[in-house]
Amino acid sequence: MTRPNILLISADQHRADCMGFMGRKIKTPHLDQMAAAGTHFNACITPSVVCQPARASILTGQLCRTHGVHDNGIDLPPETGEKGFAGAMAAAGYETSCFGKAHFSTYHTYEPTGTPECLRSSVNYDETWYGPYMGFQHVELMLVGHNWWAPEKPPAGQHYERFYHMDGRGDEKTKQLWDNAGDTKDAAQTWHSNLPIAWHNTPWTADRFIEWIRHGRDEEKPFCTWVSFPDPHHPFDCPEPWSRLHNPADVDLPENRTRSFEGKPWWHEAALTNEPGDKKFAEIRKAYSRIPPQTDEQLREIIANTYGQVSFIDHQIGRMMIALEELGLSENTIVIYISDHGDWLGDHGLILKGPMHYEGLLRVPMIVKGPGVPVGKVVEDPVSTLDLGPTFFDYGETEALLPQHGQSLRPLIETDDATRAYALNEWGLGVGRVGVPLELRTVRTRTHKLTVDLISEAGELYDLKSDPHEKINLFD
């Protein structure tokens, strides 16, 4: 077999159980088919529970205190990012590309930083710029991608923003984007977007990959590509008609959806009640990153909208798989589906993400399909998206350019003898986020999960077999 192509597909804030084959009432026919035709890692965790650290870890194969991006708002140093999996695969003769949301650098900054993802410096990258960036030889990017903010107007922005505004009607589209086309029961950050789906960044992301795979790539080289969708990240603004696909009355609510801090480490309550330390962004943090308790009716609206966002992505995955089939590439392409992190989505009365590493936030999807990958296999060993780079190097017959915290998944995929004992997660929060510093370290095994704050030495420990809803903290 010649060296396989590698196609990594990611979503943002897609929790591990929100797929049809996992038993929830969500329509994901293409992900269901992918799992049936490949191997599903049922205990995959994120190496960090927020975007920038998690994405930097996926790229570099390192935990966040090693690569340096220990929270959002910290740029991955280019000299490190360029030696991540994309740079290593390019050095080995692969053609590397990235489409959609990268988030290796900070979007919102006080001053221009010079990176192509910084809103204030993106104006310095004109319409001829398509990379290289962080080891990817060809990139087509969006900035932010979450519709709390309107797409930047050119000359600022990147490839998606130029697409969005190219007909001169961007302001009209933004009005549609933020218009709620239905009653969502005053659920937080939830609406039926009126933006015509042809202009939405979800199909745009798939379109750019499909166009490149058909007409832009070097057919003499294998490719290593990351296609990164920005949803189902909040706000929950799925566009019609996808937002109507799941009836709120029919969605499944979490069994344990009451917010309580009893028996939990001190930072659970502090993270939701403290004043953020960064005064300039404090109000945005409280409005955007903290959702107050919701009624069951409101939670149903949020979940139904999230399901619509995931189904919308699922449809694009189907389109990409069809393109691979039509081009005769599917037989020699390893396809992996993941998310950067999950979402509580009502568990413990919580929504979004933060320093409470419950399973809905910590676990992420991981499905692998391709040549040599067993059909219908389920791996229960704890793994991490840190393991992706080493896996790519294994299949691509190349070496890492950086020290790796992850390990190749190939033995777990191809044999029944390989095992993993644990997977690791870390996050270093400054006072700007929740008003107090935290240095969280999490270890996830098959049966237990331990999280400790290295500063206060407080922690939480759960027996996931006897207490799957993580109600009883065994730490003390």
Side-chain angles (χ1 to χ4, degrees):
M1 184 181 77
T2 59
R3 292 190 299 171
N5 304 305
I6 304 291
L7 173 57
L8 173 63
I9 305 170
S10 68
D12 191 330
Q13 211 161 300
H14 183 185
R15 53 185 280 155
D17 62 357
C18 280
M19 295 177 286
F21 73 91
M22 291 293 288
R24 295 196 69 154
K25 299 176 182 179
I26 180 173
K27 298 177 173 64
T28 54
H30 299 291
L31 288 171
D32 297 351
Q33 184 180 45
M34 185 176 171
T39 292
H40 172 227
F41 287 84
N42 193 40
C44 181
I45 70 167
T46 176
S48 195
V49 298
V50 289
C51 295
Q52 272 182 272
R55 289 163 183 272
S57 290
I58 292 167
L59 183 65
T60 64
Q62 298 179 338
L63 289 162
C64 68
R65 277 300 185 182
T66 300
H67 58 62
V69 185
H70 58 84
D71 200 357
N72 285 349
I74 302 170
D75 290 357
L76 180 64
E79 61 270 20
T80 302
E82 289 165 3
K83 294 179 181 178
F85 78 72
M89 298 297 277
Y94 273 74
E95 186 173 17
T96 57
S97 56
C98 180
F99 303 91
K101 177 185 175 180
H103 210 185
F104 304 133
S105 303
T106 307
Y107 299 130
H108 299 98
T109 61
Y110 294 116
E111 301 292 340
T113 62
T115 77
E117 295 192 84
C118 170
L119 297 178
R120 293 175 181 267
S121 57
S122 60
V123 67
N124 299 324
Y125 295 79
D126 66 19
E127 65 275 3
T128 66
W129 183 80
Y130 286 87
Y133 184 51
M134 298 295 184
F136 293 99
Q137 297 156 324
H138 178 88
V139 298
E140 299 185 45
L141 305 179
M142 69 187 67
L143 301 189
V144 187
H146 312 313
N147 298 320
W148 185 269
W149 295 273
E152 289 291 303
K153 293 182 179 180
Q158 284 297 349
H159 307 88
Y160 172 71
E161 288 75 25
R162 285 193 286 274
F163 163 80
Y164 182 90
H165 288 283
M166 69 179 181
D167 62 354
R169 301 173 66 182
D171 289 342
E172 179 183 332
K173 294 191 194 81
T174 298
K175 184 178 182 299
Q176 294 174 305
L177 181 71
W178 288 339
D179 182 39
N180 189 356
D183 179 13
T184 48
K185 314 300 181 187
D186 291 322
Q189 298 188 34
T190 304
W191 67 91
H192 300 273
S193 175
N194 255 327
L195 179 71
I197 59 174
W199 294 103
H200 197 276
N201 55 34
T202 290
W204 179 88
T205 301
D207 289 346
R208 300 325 305 148
F209 167 72
I210 293 170
E211 177 70 15
W212 180 82
I213 204 73
R214 290 188 184 278
H215 306 296
R217 68 186 179 92
D218 183 346
E219 297 185 11
E220 299 301 314
K221 293 182 177 182
F223 63 83
C224 179
T225 295
W226 188 347
V227 178
S228 176
F229 295 98
D231 275 338
H233 192 287
H234 63 289
F236 310 104
D237 66 325
C238 187
E240 291 191 307
W242 291 92
S243 65
R244 306 287 188 178
L245 187 61
H246 302 86
N247 187 336
D250 297 333
V251 301
D252 26 24
L253 291 175
E255 180 177 319
N256 178 27
R257 54 187 183 276
T258 300
R259 184 175 297 188
S260 173
F261 306 119
E262 184 178 355
K264 305 300 183 180
W266 64 270
W267 71 78
H268 281 219
E269 184 172 9
L272 295 172
T273 59
N274 277 7
E275 189 73 13
D278 187 336
K279 301 305 180 185
K280 186 170 183 178
F281 288 104
E283 294 308 312
I284 292 176
R285 282 202 182 279
K286 289 188 289 185
Y288 181 61
S289 300
R290 296 180 182 179
I291 286 183
Q294 303 286 286
T295 66
D296 281 0
E297 184 179 51
Q298 290 169 330
L299 184 57
R300 288 183 181 280
E301 293 288 335
I302 291 171
I303 293 173
N305 198 291
T306 298
Y307 283 6
Q309 291 175 308
V310 173
S311 294
F312 197 18
I313 292 169
D314 180 85
H315 180 71
Q316 313 312 318
I317 292 170
R319 295 176 57 227
M320 291 189 289
M321 296 304 99
I322 290 169
L324 292 177
E325 288 282 355
E326 291 176 341
L327 294 168
L329 296 170
S330 61
E331 294 302 313
N332 196 37
T333 300
I334 302 287
V335 182
I336 307 97
Y337 180 77
I338 63 163
S339 180
D340 56 354
H341 53 78
D343 188 315
W344 296 309
L345 206 60
D347 293 348
H348 300 267
L350 303 170
I351 299 168
L352 310 183
K353 55 187 181 286
M356 297 76 105
H357 291 180
Y358 293 124
E359 288 287 275
L361 177 60
L362 190 73
R363 283 177 57 226
V364 294
M366 182 183 281
I367 307 169
V368 183
K369 170 183 174 292
V373 178
V375 172
K377 183 175 181 178
V378 179
V379 176
E380 298 290 353
D381 297 72
V383 301
S384 164
T385 52
L386 281 173
D387 299 321
L388 291 170
T391 305
F392 300 163
F393 305 149
D394 195 346
Y395 281 108
E397 301 172 5
T398 189
E399 299 293 329
L401 301 178
L402 295 169
Q404 297 290 289
H405 291 148
Q407 304 173 58
S408 175
L409 297 167
R410 195 170 182 179
L412 289 168
I413 294 171
E414 296 182 354
T415 77
D416 293 326
D417 300 326
T419 60
R420 291 281 182 88
Y422 59 87
L424 301 175
N425 169 289
E426 63 183 34
W427 187 14
L429 295 77
V431 297
R433 181 176 286 274
V434 296
V436 292
L438 294 168
E439 281 292 340
L440 300 181
R441 303 294 185 268
T442 295
V443 183
R444 169 66 153 80
T445 72
R446 270 178 171 251
T447 60
H448 289 76
K449 179 170 57 186
L450 170 69
T451 299
V452 175
D453 170 37
L454 298 184
I455 299 174
S456 67
E457 299 185 352
E460 52 190 326
L461 172 65
Y462 300 103
D463 183 333
L464 300 174
K465 294 301 180 183
S466 64
D467 179 26
H469 300 295
E470 302 173 270
K471 295 180 179 180
I472 303 170
N473 180 9
L474 303 173
F475 185 79
D476 294 323

